[in-house]
Amino acid sequence: MNEDKRPMKASEIPAFVDEVIDAGCNITAVGHDKYVLGDIEEQDAAIEDLDRIGEKYGNRDPLKRQIVAYLWSIGRYIDLETEGTRH
């Protein structure tokens, strides 16, 4: 569980994002309060790398909004407000 892992530091966010990208995943902010590591196929292909990255950086849940803000700052986001509603 995430509670057992060390907390990730805000200063580690850029390196975390770089490692996820290097693992072949298209980490992207979705709106202003969520992010995804990539699509399912990318995550499946990179599962060992993502597990290693998760162990290295620890619990990132408390930093979710900071990770999202960083992703926006580097242009890796989907702006839900401009996407419109799809039915």
Side-chain angles (χ1 to χ4, degrees):
M1 300 201 105
N2 286 339
E3 299 85 36
D4 297 335
K5 293 181 179 181
R6 74 162 182 92
M8 183 176 171
K9 299 174 188 170
S11 62
E12 296 175 310
I13 292 172
F16 165 75
V17 169
D18 287 345
E19 287 196 38
V20 172
I21 293 167
D22 289 345
C25 293
N26 187 25
I27 186 170
T28 306
V30 181
H32 292 279
D33 60 353
K34 297 177 182 66
Y35 70 93
V36 294
L37 294 176
D39 65 30
I40 290 295
E41 292 82 14
E42 290 170 347
Q43 291 183 53
D44 285 347
I47 191 69
E48 290 178 12
D49 287 332
L50 292 176
D51 286 346
R52 178 190 53 76
I53 292 165
E55 288 298 316
K56 178 178 180 179
Y57 290 101
N59 181 9
R60 60 188 182 269
D61 290 346
L63 297 177
K64 181 168 61 171
R65 288 199 181 252
Q66 285 115 313
I67 294 169
V68 168
Y70 177 74
L71 292 168
W72 272 79
S73 77
I74 63 170
R76 299 184 70 86
Y77 63 89
I78 297 171
D79 187 354
L80 296 178
E81 293 178 14
T82 62
E83 287 290 309
T85 303
R86 296 182 183 160
H87 297 279

